[in-house]
Amino acid sequence: MAVTTTGTTRASGPREAAARFALLPLRLFLGATFLYAGLHKLTDSTFLEESGPGSIGGQMEAVRDASAVPALVDLGLGAPVAFGLAIALGELAVGLGALLGLFTRVAAAGGALVSLSLWLTMSWTAEPYYLGNDLPYLMAWTPLLLAGGGALSLDGAWRARRDRRAKEAGADTG
């Protein structure tokens, strides 16, 4: 059986429904995780400090010489509190975008960039490599970067509304 929704024909059934919702668990997990990470950084009493145990400055100093890109760490060490604040706010924006499915590809690109940066700096020395968590996060953002928000996303709702209006406008002129 075929169902026409927004001008496209889709077969209906359990497999098609599963495929339509396949990215939703990933989007929700990554969104919640990045939202939590950003909130945690902003509410941690020591994170937004230039130095000391648990501070962004202390963490960067600790990994600088072992990172794949020490120059990237040096860039952050120039203004560690501002860098830590930028990371936290970026994680919040990425998390909200992913959770809502709002500008999902942009959010996924931001999440992938944060994950890549953290992999090249903070978790580069994880041995064996699969014990570091930033590389799997980087790979997890890739499907959302390629496919977008999918089902139950604001992006999808806006696209369906735009398609419906275009169809209605075409019917009015035809």
PDB file of all heavy atoms in Angstrom, residues 20-54:
ATOM      1  N   ARG A  20      11.992   5.309   8.882  1.00  0.00           N
ATOM      2  CA  ARG A  20      11.680   6.737   9.049  1.00  0.00           C
ATOM      3  C   ARG A  20      12.137   7.257  10.413  1.00  0.00           C
ATOM      4  O   ARG A  20      12.567   8.391  10.538  1.00  0.00           O
ATOM      5  CB  ARG A  20      10.174   6.928   8.876  1.00  0.00           C
ATOM      6  CG  ARG A  20       9.747   8.349   8.858  1.00  0.00           C
ATOM      7  CD  ARG A  20       8.302   8.488   8.376  1.00  0.00           C
ATOM      8  NE  ARG A  20       7.869   9.824   8.665  1.00  0.00           N
ATOM      9  CZ  ARG A  20       6.932  10.134   9.545  1.00  0.00           C
ATOM     10  NH1 ARG A  20       6.284   9.187  10.178  1.00  0.00           N
ATOM     11  NH2 ARG A  20       6.621  11.378   9.785  1.00  0.00           N
ATOM     12  N   PHE A  21      12.038   6.417  11.430  1.00  0.00           N
ATOM     13  CA  PHE A  21      12.388   6.842  12.788  1.00  0.00           C
ATOM     14  C   PHE A  21      13.786   6.383  13.224  1.00  0.00           C
ATOM     15  O   PHE A  21      14.161   6.537  14.376  1.00  0.00           O
ATOM     16  CB  PHE A  21      11.344   6.323  13.792  1.00  0.00           C
ATOM     17  CG  PHE A  21      10.023   7.020  13.674  1.00  0.00           C
ATOM     18  CD1 PHE A  21       9.003   6.477  12.915  1.00  0.00           C
ATOM     19  CD2 PHE A  21       9.813   8.235  14.307  1.00  0.00           C
ATOM     20  CE1 PHE A  21       7.784   7.125  12.790  1.00  0.00           C
ATOM     21  CE2 PHE A  21       8.600   8.889  14.193  1.00  0.00           C
ATOM     22  CZ  PHE A  21       7.581   8.336  13.427  1.00  0.00           C
ATOM     23  N   ALA A  22      14.571   5.837  12.315  1.00  0.00           N
ATOM     24  CA  ALA A  22      15.860   5.232  12.656  1.00  0.00           C
ATOM     25  C   ALA A  22      16.835   6.207  13.310  1.00  0.00           C
ATOM     26  O   ALA A  22      17.597   5.825  14.195  1.00  0.00           O
ATOM     27  CB  ALA A  22      16.497   4.616  11.415  1.00  0.00           C
ATOM     28  N   LEU A  23      16.848   7.451  12.891  1.00  0.00           N
ATOM     29  CA  LEU A  23      17.808   8.414  13.439  1.00  0.00           C
ATOM     30  C   LEU A  23      17.322   9.101  14.715  1.00  0.00           C
ATOM     31  O   LEU A  23      18.096   9.770  15.383  1.00  0.00           O
ATOM     32  CB  LEU A  23      18.147   9.478  12.394  1.00  0.00           C
ATOM     33  CG  LEU A  23      18.932   8.979  11.191  1.00  0.00           C
ATOM     34  CD1 LEU A  23      19.150  10.115  10.198  1.00  0.00           C
ATOM     35  CD2 LEU A  23      20.256   8.383  11.619  1.00  0.00           C
ATOM     36  N   LEU A  24      16.054   8.932  15.046  1.00  0.00           N
ATOM     37  CA  LEU A  24      15.508   9.625  16.213  1.00  0.00           C
ATOM     38  C   LEU A  24      16.228   9.255  17.521  1.00  0.00           C
ATOM     39  O   LEU A  24      16.602  10.167  18.274  1.00  0.00           O
ATOM     40  CB  LEU A  24      14.004   9.367  16.320  1.00  0.00           C
ATOM     41  CG  LEU A  24      13.274  10.121  17.430  1.00  0.00           C
ATOM     42  CD1 LEU A  24      13.418  11.634  17.260  1.00  0.00           C
ATOM     43  CD2 LEU A  24      11.802   9.723  17.443  1.00  0.00           C
ATOM     44  N   PRO A  25      16.463   7.977  17.832  1.00  0.00           N
ATOM     45  CA  PRO A  25      17.177   7.673  19.083  1.00  0.00           C
ATOM     46  C   PRO A  25      18.578   8.299  19.122  1.00  0.00           C
ATOM     47  O   PRO A  25      19.003   8.807  20.166  1.00  0.00           O
ATOM     48  CB  PRO A  25      17.250   6.149  19.108  1.00  0.00           C
ATOM     49  CG  PRO A  25      16.174   5.686  18.200  1.00  0.00           C
ATOM     50  CD  PRO A  25      16.031   6.745  17.145  1.00  0.00           C
ATOM     51  N   LEU A  26      19.278   8.278  18.002  1.00  0.00           N
ATOM     52  CA  LEU A  26      20.615   8.873  17.949  1.00  0.00           C
ATOM     53  C   LEU A  26      20.539  10.375  18.182  1.00  0.00           C
ATOM     54  O   LEU A  26      21.316  10.938  18.957  1.00  0.00           O
ATOM     55  CB  LEU A  26      21.269   8.563  16.600  1.00  0.00           C
ATOM     56  CG  LEU A  26      22.692   9.079  16.410  1.00  0.00           C
ATOM     57  CD1 LEU A  26      23.641   8.452  17.426  1.00  0.00           C
ATOM     58  CD2 LEU A  26      23.153   8.792  14.988  1.00  0.00           C
ATOM     59  N   ARG A  27      19.576  11.016  17.512  1.00  0.00           N
ATOM     60  CA  ARG A  27      19.420  12.474  17.658  1.00  0.00           C
ATOM     61  C   ARG A  27      19.088  12.849  19.104  1.00  0.00           C
ATOM     62  O   ARG A  27      19.659  13.790  19.665  1.00  0.00           O
ATOM     63  CB  ARG A  27      18.312  12.953  16.716  1.00  0.00           C
ATOM     64  CG  ARG A  27      18.364  14.430  16.442  1.00  0.00           C
ATOM     65  CD  ARG A  27      17.220  14.892  15.559  1.00  0.00           C
ATOM     66  NE  ARG A  27      16.103  15.201  16.415  1.00  0.00           N
ATOM     67  CZ  ARG A  27      14.831  14.983  16.127  1.00  0.00           C
ATOM     68  NH1 ARG A  27      14.480  14.431  15.001  1.00  0.00           N
ATOM     69  NH2 ARG A  27      13.897  15.310  16.980  1.00  0.00           N
ATOM     70  N   LEU A  28      18.197  12.088  19.727  1.00  0.00           N
ATOM     71  CA  LEU A  28      17.821  12.380  21.112  1.00  0.00           C
ATOM     72  C   LEU A  28      18.977  12.123  22.073  1.00  0.00           C
ATOM     73  O   LEU A  28      19.213  12.918  22.995  1.00  0.00           O
ATOM     74  CB  LEU A  28      16.589  11.564  21.507  1.00  0.00           C
ATOM     75  CG  LEU A  28      15.311  11.896  20.743  1.00  0.00           C
ATOM     76  CD1 LEU A  28      14.175  10.974  21.173  1.00  0.00           C
ATOM     77  CD2 LEU A  28      14.923  13.354  20.898  1.00  0.00           C
ATOM     78  N   PHE A  29      19.698  11.029  21.873  1.00  0.00           N
ATOM     79  CA  PHE A  29      20.842  10.730  22.745  1.00  0.00           C
ATOM     80  C   PHE A  29      21.917  11.810  22.638  1.00  0.00           C
ATOM     81  O   PHE A  29      22.393  12.330  23.652  1.00  0.00           O
ATOM     82  CB  PHE A  29      21.433   9.358  22.409  1.00  0.00           C
ATOM     83  CG  PHE A  29      22.752   9.119  23.099  1.00  0.00           C
ATOM     84  CD1 PHE A  29      22.789   8.811  24.447  1.00  0.00           C
ATOM     85  CD2 PHE A  29      23.947   9.241  22.409  1.00  0.00           C
ATOM     86  CE1 PHE A  29      24.007   8.613  25.100  1.00  0.00           C
ATOM     87  CE2 PHE A  29      25.154   9.054  23.052  1.00  0.00           C
ATOM     88  CZ  PHE A  29      25.195   8.733  24.393  1.00  0.00           C
ATOM     89  N   LEU A  30      22.317  12.129  21.411  1.00  0.00           N
ATOM     90  CA  LEU A  30      23.370  13.140  21.234  1.00  0.00           C
ATOM     91  C   LEU A  30      22.903  14.500  21.736  1.00  0.00           C
ATOM     92  O   LEU A  30      23.674  15.237  22.374  1.00  0.00           O
ATOM     93  CB  LEU A  30      23.795  13.222  19.767  1.00  0.00           C
ATOM     94  CG  LEU A  30      24.562  12.017  19.238  1.00  0.00           C
ATOM     95  CD1 LEU A  30      24.730  12.113  17.728  1.00  0.00           C
ATOM     96  CD2 LEU A  30      25.910  11.885  19.927  1.00  0.00           C
ATOM     97  N   GLY A  31      21.663  14.844  21.453  1.00  0.00           N
ATOM     98  CA  GLY A  31      21.139  16.130  21.912  1.00  0.00           C
ATOM     99  C   GLY A  31      21.138  16.225  23.430  1.00  0.00           C
ATOM    100  O   GLY A  31      21.601  17.212  24.006  1.00  0.00           O
ATOM    101  N   ALA A  32      20.618  15.196  24.096  1.00  0.00           N
ATOM    102  CA  ALA A  32      20.571  15.211  25.566  1.00  0.00           C
ATOM    103  C   ALA A  32      21.975  15.212  26.161  1.00  0.00           C
ATOM    104  O   ALA A  32      22.252  15.930  27.128  1.00  0.00           O
ATOM    105  CB  ALA A  32      19.780  14.004  26.068  1.00  0.00           C
ATOM    106  N   THR A  33      22.873  14.445  25.561  1.00  0.00           N
ATOM    107  CA  THR A  33      24.240  14.359  26.082  1.00  0.00           C
ATOM    108  C   THR A  33      24.961  15.697  25.963  1.00  0.00           C
ATOM    109  O   THR A  33      25.605  16.152  26.915  1.00  0.00           O
ATOM    110  CB  THR A  33      25.020  13.252  25.354  1.00  0.00           C
ATOM    111  OG1 THR A  33      24.338  12.007  25.561  1.00  0.00           O
ATOM    112  CG2 THR A  33      26.445  13.152  25.856  1.00  0.00           C
ATOM    113  N   PHE A  34      24.857  16.345  24.813  1.00  0.00           N
ATOM    114  CA  PHE A  34      25.540  17.621  24.632  1.00  0.00           C
ATOM    115  C   PHE A  34      24.882  18.728  25.450  1.00  0.00           C
ATOM    116  O   PHE A  34      25.571  19.599  25.980  1.00  0.00           O
ATOM    117  CB  PHE A  34      25.626  17.986  23.144  1.00  0.00           C
ATOM    118  CG  PHE A  34      26.877  17.459  22.491  1.00  0.00           C
ATOM    119  CD1 PHE A  34      27.149  16.105  22.464  1.00  0.00           C
ATOM    120  CD2 PHE A  34      27.807  18.319  21.942  1.00  0.00           C
ATOM    121  CE1 PHE A  34      28.305  15.607  21.886  1.00  0.00           C
ATOM    122  CE2 PHE A  34      28.976  17.837  21.369  1.00  0.00           C
ATOM    123  CZ  PHE A  34      29.220  16.477  21.340  1.00  0.00           C
ATOM    124  N   LEU A  35      23.571  18.700  25.581  1.00  0.00           N
ATOM    125  CA  LEU A  35      22.893  19.669  26.438  1.00  0.00           C
ATOM    126  C   LEU A  35      23.357  19.501  27.880  1.00  0.00           C
ATOM    127  O   LEU A  35      23.707  20.479  28.551  1.00  0.00           O
ATOM    128  CB  LEU A  35      21.379  19.486  26.331  1.00  0.00           C
ATOM    129  CG  LEU A  35      20.517  20.473  27.094  1.00  0.00           C
ATOM    130  CD1 LEU A  35      20.696  21.884  26.549  1.00  0.00           C
ATOM    131  CD2 LEU A  35      19.058  20.061  27.012  1.00  0.00           C
ATOM    132  N   TYR A  36      23.408  18.272  28.358  1.00  0.00           N
ATOM    133  CA  TYR A  36      23.880  17.991  29.712  1.00  0.00           C
ATOM    134  C   TYR A  36      25.339  18.437  29.893  1.00  0.00           C
ATOM    135  O   TYR A  36      25.688  19.046  30.907  1.00  0.00           O
ATOM    136  CB  TYR A  36      23.731  16.503  30.033  1.00  0.00           C
ATOM    137  CG  TYR A  36      24.281  16.139  31.385  1.00  0.00           C
ATOM    138  CD1 TYR A  36      23.541  16.389  32.546  1.00  0.00           C
ATOM    139  CD2 TYR A  36      25.542  15.570  31.516  1.00  0.00           C
ATOM    140  CE1 TYR A  36      24.057  16.073  33.797  1.00  0.00           C
ATOM    141  CE2 TYR A  36      26.054  15.247  32.766  1.00  0.00           C
ATOM    142  CZ  TYR A  36      25.310  15.500  33.899  1.00  0.00           C
ATOM    143  OH  TYR A  36      25.817  15.202  35.125  1.00  0.00           O
ATOM    144  N   ALA A  37      26.180  18.133  28.898  1.00  0.00           N
ATOM    145  CA  ALA A  37      27.601  18.506  29.005  1.00  0.00           C
ATOM    146  C   ALA A  37      27.759  20.017  29.113  1.00  0.00           C
ATOM    147  O   ALA A  37      28.561  20.506  29.924  1.00  0.00           O
ATOM    148  CB  ALA A  37      28.375  17.977  27.801  1.00  0.00           C
ATOM    149  N   GLY A  38      27.013  20.754  28.309  1.00  0.00           N
ATOM    150  CA  GLY A  38      27.093  22.220  28.379  1.00  0.00           C
ATOM    151  C   GLY A  38      26.604  22.750  29.718  1.00  0.00           C
ATOM    152  O   GLY A  38      27.238  23.622  30.320  1.00  0.00           O
ATOM    153  N   LEU A  39      25.471  22.236  30.189  1.00  0.00           N
ATOM    154  CA  LEU A  39      24.942  22.669  31.490  1.00  0.00           C
ATOM    155  C   LEU A  39      25.892  22.301  32.620  1.00  0.00           C
ATOM    156  O   LEU A  39      26.092  23.090  33.557  1.00  0.00           O
ATOM    157  CB  LEU A  39      23.568  22.044  31.735  1.00  0.00           C
ATOM    158  CG  LEU A  39      22.420  22.593  30.902  1.00  0.00           C
ATOM    159  CD1 LEU A  39      21.161  21.756  31.105  1.00  0.00           C
ATOM    160  CD2 LEU A  39      22.166  24.054  31.245  1.00  0.00           C
ATOM    161  N   HIS A  40      26.484  21.120  32.545  1.00  0.00           N
ATOM    162  CA  HIS A  40      27.415  20.686  33.579  1.00  0.00           C
ATOM    163  C   HIS A  40      28.614  21.635  33.657  1.00  0.00           C
ATOM    164  O   HIS A  40      29.058  22.013  34.748  1.00  0.00           O
ATOM    165  CB  HIS A  40      27.872  19.251  33.304  1.00  0.00           C
ATOM    166  CG  HIS A  40      28.775  18.712  34.359  1.00  0.00           C
ATOM    167  ND1 HIS A  40      30.138  18.660  34.229  1.00  0.00           N
ATOM    168  CD2 HIS A  40      28.496  18.208  35.583  1.00  0.00           C
ATOM    169  CE1 HIS A  40      30.672  18.153  35.324  1.00  0.00           C
ATOM    170  NE2 HIS A  40      29.697  17.863  36.163  1.00  0.00           N
ATOM    171  N   LYS A  41      29.146  22.012  32.505  1.00  0.00           N
ATOM    172  CA  LYS A  41      30.292  22.925  32.492  1.00  0.00           C
ATOM    173  C   LYS A  41      29.919  24.281  33.082  1.00  0.00           C
ATOM    174  O   LYS A  41      30.704  24.888  33.814  1.00  0.00           O
ATOM    175  CB  LYS A  41      30.820  23.098  31.069  1.00  0.00           C
ATOM    176  CG  LYS A  41      31.585  21.891  30.557  1.00  0.00           C
ATOM    177  CD  LYS A  41      31.949  22.058  29.096  1.00  0.00           C
ATOM    178  CE  LYS A  41      32.736  20.882  28.562  1.00  0.00           C
ATOM    179  NZ  LYS A  41      31.990  19.628  28.536  1.00  0.00           N
ATOM    180  N   LEU A  42      28.733  24.776  32.763  1.00  0.00           N
ATOM    181  CA  LEU A  42      28.312  26.094  33.247  1.00  0.00           C
ATOM    182  C   LEU A  42      27.999  26.107  34.739  1.00  0.00           C
ATOM    183  O   LEU A  42      28.114  27.143  35.388  1.00  0.00           O
ATOM    184  CB  LEU A  42      27.093  26.586  32.465  1.00  0.00           C
ATOM    185  CG  LEU A  42      27.342  26.935  31.003  1.00  0.00           C
ATOM    186  CD1 LEU A  42      26.032  27.286  30.314  1.00  0.00           C
ATOM    187  CD2 LEU A  42      28.337  28.093  30.878  1.00  0.00           C
ATOM    188  N   THR A  43      27.587  24.963  35.278  1.00  0.00           N
ATOM    189  CA  THR A  43      27.217  24.921  36.701  1.00  0.00           C
ATOM    190  C   THR A  43      28.314  24.353  37.594  1.00  0.00           C
ATOM    191  O   THR A  43      28.178  24.388  38.812  1.00  0.00           O
ATOM    192  CB  THR A  43      25.925  24.088  36.896  1.00  0.00           C
ATOM    193  OG1 THR A  43      26.134  22.767  36.384  1.00  0.00           O
ATOM    194  CG2 THR A  43      24.754  24.749  36.182  1.00  0.00           C
ATOM    195  N   ASP A  44      29.391  23.856  37.004  1.00  0.00           N
ATOM    196  CA  ASP A  44      30.516  23.333  37.782  1.00  0.00           C
ATOM    197  C   ASP A  44      31.252  24.512  38.419  1.00  0.00           C
ATOM    198  O   ASP A  44      31.635  25.456  37.731  1.00  0.00           O
ATOM    199  CB  ASP A  44      31.449  22.547  36.863  1.00  0.00           C
ATOM    200  CG  ASP A  44      32.578  21.852  37.604  1.00  0.00           C
ATOM    201  OD1 ASP A  44      33.213  22.497  38.470  1.00  0.00           O
ATOM    202  OD2 ASP A  44      32.848  20.686  37.301  1.00  0.00           O
ATOM    203  N   SER A  45      31.478  24.438  39.702  1.00  0.00           N
ATOM    204  CA  SER A  45      32.085  25.570  40.413  1.00  0.00           C
ATOM    205  C   SER A  45      33.561  25.776  40.069  1.00  0.00           C
ATOM    206  O   SER A  45      34.105  26.855  40.310  1.00  0.00           O
ATOM    207  CB  SER A  45      31.934  25.393  41.926  1.00  0.00           C
ATOM    208  OG  SER A  45      32.609  24.221  42.354  1.00  0.00           O
ATOM    209  N   THR A  46      34.221  24.780  39.492  1.00  0.00           N
ATOM    210  CA  THR A  46      35.652  24.927  39.196  1.00  0.00           C
ATOM    211  C   THR A  46      35.980  24.970  37.712  1.00  0.00           C
ATOM    212  O   THR A  46      37.073  25.395  37.341  1.00  0.00           O
ATOM    213  CB  THR A  46      36.457  23.772  39.829  1.00  0.00           C
ATOM    214  OG1 THR A  46      35.985  22.531  39.311  1.00  0.00           O
ATOM    215  CG2 THR A  46      36.338  23.782  41.339  1.00  0.00           C
ATOM    216  N   PHE A  47      35.066  24.528  36.843  1.00  0.00           N
ATOM    217  CA  PHE A  47      35.396  24.399  35.430  1.00  0.00           C
ATOM    218  C   PHE A  47      35.819  25.727  34.803  1.00  0.00           C
ATOM    219  O   PHE A  47      36.829  25.805  34.110  1.00  0.00           O
ATOM    220  CB  PHE A  47      34.223  23.802  34.639  1.00  0.00           C
ATOM    221  CG  PHE A  47      34.520  23.663  33.172  1.00  0.00           C
ATOM    222  CD1 PHE A  47      35.339  22.642  32.720  1.00  0.00           C
ATOM    223  CD2 PHE A  47      34.011  24.564  32.257  1.00  0.00           C
ATOM    224  CE1 PHE A  47      35.638  22.514  31.368  1.00  0.00           C
ATOM    225  CE2 PHE A  47      34.299  24.447  30.904  1.00  0.00           C
ATOM    226  CZ  PHE A  47      35.122  23.420  30.464  1.00  0.00           C
ATOM    227  N   LEU A  48      35.076  26.769  35.033  1.00  0.00           N
ATOM    228  CA  LEU A  48      35.371  28.056  34.383  1.00  0.00           C
ATOM    229  C   LEU A  48      36.397  28.866  35.189  1.00  0.00           C
ATOM    230  O   LEU A  48      36.181  30.029  35.518  1.00  0.00           O
ATOM    231  CB  LEU A  48      34.084  28.854  34.155  1.00  0.00           C
ATOM    232  CG  LEU A  48      33.149  28.273  33.109  1.00  0.00           C
ATOM    233  CD1 LEU A  48      31.853  29.066  33.031  1.00  0.00           C
ATOM    234  CD2 LEU A  48      33.817  28.190  31.745  1.00  0.00           C
ATOM    235  N   GLU A  49      37.518  28.249  35.462  1.00  0.00           N
ATOM    236  CA  GLU A  49      38.644  28.887  36.139  1.00  0.00           C
ATOM    237  C   GLU A  49      39.872  28.765  35.244  1.00  0.00           C
ATOM    238  O   GLU A  49      39.989  27.839  34.453  1.00  0.00           O
ATOM    239  CB  GLU A  49      38.926  28.211  37.485  1.00  0.00           C
ATOM    240  CG  GLU A  49      37.780  28.274  38.478  1.00  0.00           C
ATOM    241  CD  GLU A  49      37.570  29.664  39.057  1.00  0.00           C
ATOM    242  OE1 GLU A  49      38.553  30.427  39.138  1.00  0.00           O
ATOM    243  OE2 GLU A  49      36.414  29.968  39.419  1.00  0.00           O
ATOM    244  N   GLU A  50      40.807  29.707  35.395  1.00  0.00           N
ATOM    245  CA  GLU A  50      42.022  29.679  34.572  1.00  0.00           C
ATOM    246  C   GLU A  50      42.969  28.551  34.951  1.00  0.00           C
ATOM    247  O   GLU A  50      43.719  28.054  34.107  1.00  0.00           O
ATOM    248  CB  GLU A  50      42.746  31.024  34.656  1.00  0.00           C
ATOM    249  CG  GLU A  50      42.018  32.106  33.890  1.00  0.00           C
ATOM    250  CD  GLU A  50      42.878  33.304  33.610  1.00  0.00           C
ATOM    251  OE1 GLU A  50      44.115  33.161  33.511  1.00  0.00           O
ATOM    252  OE2 GLU A  50      42.313  34.392  33.477  1.00  0.00           O
ATOM    253  N   SER A  51      42.951  28.162  36.215  1.00  0.00           N
ATOM    254  CA  SER A  51      43.851  27.097  36.650  1.00  0.00           C
ATOM    255  C   SER A  51      43.257  26.403  37.866  1.00  0.00           C
ATOM    256  O   SER A  51      42.277  26.863  38.436  1.00  0.00           O
ATOM    257  CB  SER A  51      45.236  27.666  36.993  1.00  0.00           C
ATOM    258  OG  SER A  51      45.128  28.602  38.050  1.00  0.00           O
ATOM    259  N   GLY A  52      43.892  25.292  38.218  1.00  0.00           N
ATOM    260  CA  GLY A  52      43.455  24.542  39.381  1.00  0.00           C
ATOM    261  C   GLY A  52      42.800  23.227  38.985  1.00  0.00           C
ATOM    262  O   GLY A  52      42.469  23.016  37.825  1.00  0.00           O
ATOM    263  N   PRO A  53      42.622  22.341  39.972  1.00  0.00           N
ATOM    264  CA  PRO A  53      42.021  21.032  39.704  1.00  0.00           C
ATOM    265  C   PRO A  53      40.601  21.172  39.138  1.00  0.00           C
ATOM    266  O   PRO A  53      39.789  21.915  39.656  1.00  0.00           O
ATOM    267  CB  PRO A  53      41.985  20.355  41.071  1.00  0.00           C
ATOM    268  CG  PRO A  53      42.945  21.114  41.919  1.00  0.00           C
ATOM    269  CD  PRO A  53      42.988  22.508  41.364  1.00  0.00           C
ATOM    270  N   GLY A  54      40.336  20.478  38.045  1.00  0.00           N
ATOM    271  CA  GLY A  54      39.010  20.499  37.432  1.00  0.00           C
ATOM    272  C   GLY A  54      38.725  21.690  36.545  1.00  0.00           C
ATOM    273  O   GLY A  54      37.694  21.736  35.893  1.00  0.00           O
TER     274      GLY A  54
END
